Structures are given as C-alpha cells and as structure tokens.
Amino acid sequence: MKPLNILYIAHERKLGGATLALLTMIDEMAEKGHKIRVVIPTSHCPLAEELKKRNIPFYAVFFAWIQMPSDWNPVMKACFRLLYLLEPLQVCYVRHLLKGKKPDVIHTNSGVTDFGAKLAKKLHCRHVWHIREFGDADYNLEYLRGKKKAWSDMNLCTDRFLFISKCLYGHFRKYADQQKSRLVYDGLPKDYIIYKDYPPKEKVIFLISGNLARNKGQMLLLRAAKELKDQYGQFEIWLAGSTSSMSDSKRYTKELQAFIDANLSGTAVMLGRVADMHGLREKADVEIVASNREAFGRVTIEAMLGGMPVIGSNSGANPELISDGIDGVLFENGNYKDLAAKMEIFLTDRSQIRTMGEKAFAKASGRFTSHSNTEEIEKLYYSVLGSGENGCGNTKKTKKGEK
C-alpha cells in the first residue's frame, strides 16, 4: 500500500502519557515510510524538542480545548470560551500552511480538543479521534458546551473514534457513535523491557509513580504503609513524580511530606521527577497504581514490562490489564486498609514478587507492545480511506445514475 501523509494533532506541551504514546506512534509510522507532520500548542516545549530530534516537521499553533477545569473561576472560564471562539482563525492559518501538503488522515491525539476535526472538515480529509481520557472523571474537566452537545458535534466530525480501554468506551458509550468506535489498547516499545533476576533483598520496595495529584492516590498508599509499619519493618515506599503548576498539587505535595515526616520517616521517600524510570524499576519490587480511575494505565504496563507485579485499584482499566492474584493484585478503590492487606501478600511471601512478576512480564510483552498498536492503527487508516466516506463521517454523494 502507498505511504500516507499523516497530520497528528498534539494537545499538550509536556511529555505526558498520551504524548509519549504519540511519539512512539510517530516513530513507528515514520519507519513504515509514512510522511508525518504534527500540530503542537507551542514551539517552546519538550514535545517540540523531541520532534526536532526526529526531524519531524511541526506547526506551533495555540488553540483552545473543548473542555476546561471545573474549578476555574468565572473570569478564567469566560476567557477560555473567548479563546475557543477564535479557533476558526487558527484552523484557517494551519490550512494555509498546509497548502499543497494536504494530509490523507488527520489524527487527533486526545478527546479534549476538536481542532483536528475542524481542520479535517476544511480540508475534506479523513479524521481519526483518539479518546485517551475520561476528562470529567479523571481530570475534573467540563465541556464548554455541555457533554451531550459536544459529543453530538464530535460524532459528525470524525470517521473513527479510538478508545484505549473497554472501561473508557463504556464511559462514553451512550454519546459516541458505536459504528465509528473501535477499541485499540495502547502499547509500549521494547525500550521499557527489563529482564529482572529477582535477587534476594533485605527490604521490599513499593513504588508509585506519576505526577503528585490527589487522584493518583499517593496519600492512600502512605496511609496503607502506616498500617503496616509496626508489623512489617522491612519495606520502603518510593514516590516518584513531580509537583505540577496547579496550586492544589503544591498543597498536596506539602501534605504528603508532612505525613511522611510525622508517620513514615525512614520508610517513605519522595524522589521528585525521576528521569531514569528504567533504572528505578530495576531496583523496585512491586508497583502501586492507586489512581481513582485510569483510562488505560501506561504506568501499569511499564511496570509489567519491568517484571513487576502491580497492585492496582479495582477501577478504570486496571481490571482489564491485571489478572487478580495471577500477575498482580486488585484492591478496593479508595480503601487504604484493603491496599495494606494486598501489600501484605508480598511482605509475607516474597516469592510472589517473582511468580507474579514473571507472569506480568509475559502478558505485557505479548499483548501490549507498540508494534501491535501501530499495526492496528495503520490498518484502520487504510480502512477509513477505502471506506467510501468523504471525510469527517460524511458518506460520498453519488450523482444520479451512479452506483
């Protein structure tokens, strides 16, 4: 099949999970011979630097989202709505930049922006919309025009929705056009694979990674550790993750440190942002995913590819990734005492670290690879291009007498 011209729409500047997945997809699509371009929010960001390293052309255009934080004050919300009303100007600008370089497919990497959908409509080309987050349930976002109205428009402005888990699809099932919806699990590249040898250790190291935010469950883990400290002294808690620019994240960071100082001094440590997570996971034993709700769970797969069993909350996509008691353990979401009980499994029988860790590695390396993810999405591109649609979900109109 002929190589495609693909335009990706990135919604964030930082290298979050969705953007890391996008970079991997870009790498592998480029290796297949496809011509890649990317629209990003600003030219001064880590994403721009990564694209420069890869010699991938990009266009820096600041555009609004169709969702915004629910806790913003009325003035900020009004300004954001005004910015959204100006979005057609940015769409026309990018359309001008793409003159003579029309993409075959525009792929929007998040459900929080409709910029790619509007651009695809202007260019009369195919549009694929990657839904990677709940929005309201995991990031406390609200739709500018209401959820029902937003999804009504989204259904008209795309050819395919890609959902990264069954749980996420279930959350939007009554809004998304089921004919256009597909389930495609994310995958990670081979770089994340760690061949662990599980040496005997004095202490069991529990790791939790991710930005310091209340919905990530770091405090839940600290409370569970406090329950275990007096009975089991031979363990440590590592918190890997940085404070975001949000004021509540800064408050939360102080609360975590205060709790550690008062209750877990010498047992728990806050590591901040860790550049070498690969090296950290080589030393850790069990990873904790205590988020209220994960749309997929990139961290979960990273840990499994590192040969680590994961203790995850029984919410979001975790039950789709973790087979309870086989390659990891599930605990009742929000229940720190149940989390402590599940941590106790690995403290009383350390052989379970290796037994479950090896099974976790086998599952992740067999099912959740970036190669299989890229192959599936590439097939979807070709399918949409040959589907007889006219872009943005519009069926081709035939002239009278044509079949």
Side-chain angles (χ1 to χ4, degrees):
M1 294 184 180
K2 72 169 187 175
L4 303 176
N5 291 319
I6 308 169
L7 179 69
Y8 289 103
I9 310 295
H11 72 296
E12 61 180 355
R13 296 168 292 176
K14 64 180 182 178
L15 300 180
T19 303
L20 289 172
L22 173 62
L23 284 170
T24 299
M25 185 161 51
I26 286 171
D27 289 339
E28 297 187 357
M29 289 293 181
E31 286 175 6
K32 287 174 170 288
H34 301 300
K35 190 169 185 178
I36 309 298
R37 292 184 177 84
V38 189
V39 173
I40 64 176
T42 174
S43 59
H44 303 289
C45 64
L47 174 56
E49 293 305 312
E50 289 298 323
L51 293 173
K52 288 175 185 176
K53 290 177 187 176
R54 293 162 167 79
N55 294 315
I56 299 292
F58 64 85
Y59 310 102
V61 182
F62 186 71
F63 50 84
W65 291 0
I66 59 174
Q67 299 179 48
M68 61 185 171
S70 300
D71 56 2
W72 272 0
N73 63 52
V75 174
M76 292 181 69
K77 288 184 177 181
C79 290
F80 200 77
R81 291 179 190 278
L82 178 60
L83 179 63
Y84 180 74
L85 291 175
L86 297 175
E87 188 178 53
L89 297 177
Q90 286 103 323
V91 170
C92 289
Y93 173 64
V94 175
R95 182 187 181 189
H96 172 73
L97 294 176
L98 290 170
K99 193 172 183 180
K101 306 171 186 175
K102 179 182 174 181
D104 297 301
V105 177
I106 294 178
H107 184 140
T108 299
N109 196 50
S110 169
V112 301
T113 174
D114 63 356
F115 186 87
K118 289 179 176 177
L119 183 60
K121 187 174 182 179
K122 284 286 185 182
L123 294 172
H124 302 288
C125 65
R126 303 295 193 271
H127 180 246
V128 172
W129 211 325
H130 222 137
I131 310 300
R132 294 185 176 277
E133 59 283 298
F134 294 100
D136 49 1
D138 52 0
Y139 292 107
N140 194 32
L141 301 178
E142 65 179 59
Y143 289 89
L144 273 66
R145 296 170 297 150
K147 194 171 186 178
K148 186 175 180 180
K149 170 61 177 171
W151 273 92
S152 177
D153 291 343
M154 288 167 70
N155 285 324
L156 294 173
C157 294
T158 196
D159 295 285
R160 293 291 183 274
F161 293 113
L162 301 184
F163 291 93
I164 59 175
S165 69
K166 293 177 183 177
C167 176
L168 187 63
Y169 173 54
H171 184 75
F172 292 110
R173 187 182 184 91
K174 68 178 181 179
Y175 301 101
D177 186 330
Q178 295 184 31
Q179 298 280 335
K180 298 179 180 180
S181 300
R182 302 290 184 273
L183 170 66
V184 181
Y185 285 114
D186 272 349
L188 275 73
K190 294 179 180 178
D191 298 351
Y192 287 87
I193 289 177
I194 299 172
Y195 296 101
K196 252 183 166 53
D197 55 7
Y198 306 98
K201 296 169 66 176
E202 182 181 348
K203 293 185 177 182
V204 175
I205 298 172
F206 295 97
L207 169 67
I208 186 168
S209 58
N211 289 335
L212 301 181
R214 296 183 193 278
N215 69 329
K216 293 297 183 182
Q218 289 95 348
M219 184 62 81
L220 194 77
L221 172 57
L222 294 181
R223 288 176 176 157
K226 182 184 176 184
E227 289 282 305
L228 297 169
K229 184 181 177 183
D230 292 339
Q231 188 175 357
Y232 303 99
Q234 300 303 307
F235 72 90
E236 291 183 7
I237 306 294
W238 291 357
L239 289 82
S242 57
T243 308
S244 76
S245 59
M246 302 295 288
S247 58
D248 188 59
S249 179
K250 295 175 183 177
R251 288 193 296 269
Y252 184 55
T253 301
K254 292 179 180 178
E255 291 171 20
L256 292 171
Q257 189 60 62
F259 190 94
I260 290 172
D261 293 341
N263 303 288
L264 295 167
S265 180
T267 299
V269 59
M270 296 179 68
L271 303 174
R273 181 182 178 278
V274 177
D276 183 17
M277 286 301 298
H278 192 282
L280 194 67
R281 287 195 172 97
E282 286 182 328
K283 301 172 185 175
D285 299 300
V286 180
E287 188 137 355
I288 311 289
V289 178
S291 309
N292 288 334
R293 187 179 292 187
E294 288 286 344
F296 171 66
R298 181 183 177 90
V299 168
T300 302
I301 301 304
E302 287 179 7
M304 294 170 77
L305 286 173
M308 298 170 64
V310 177
I311 303 176
S313 59
N314 63 350
S315 63
N318 286 338
E320 297 175 48
L321 308 182
I322 301 168
S323 297
D324 190 23
I326 298 174
D327 49 39
V329 184
L330 297 172
F331 72 93
E332 183 182 353
N333 185 35
N335 187 337
Y336 72 89
K337 290 190 175 182
D338 192 41
L339 173 55
K342 299 306 165 61
M343 292 167 67
E344 196 172 4
I345 292 172
F346 301 100
L347 292 171
T348 56
D349 184 1
R350 296 192 182 187
S351 68
Q352 291 296 329
I353 295 173
R354 178 169 194 153
T355 300
M356 291 192 191
E358 289 179 341
K359 291 177 180 177
F361 177 84
K363 176 192 280 186
S365 59
R367 291 181 55 191
F368 299 107
T369 65
S370 58
H371 176 74
S372 59
N373 175 265
T374 302
E375 288 281 327
E376 197 164 351
I377 292 174
E378 183 187 44
K379 289 177 183 176
L380 183 137
Y381 290 160
Y382 285 118
S383 173
V384 168
L385 286 165
S387 65
E389 293 172 348
N390 194 29
C392 285
N394 298 318
T395 304
K396 283 184 178 179
K397 293 181 180 179
T398 56
K399 295 179 182 180
K400 190 175 182 179
E402 287 184 343
K403 294 183 179 180

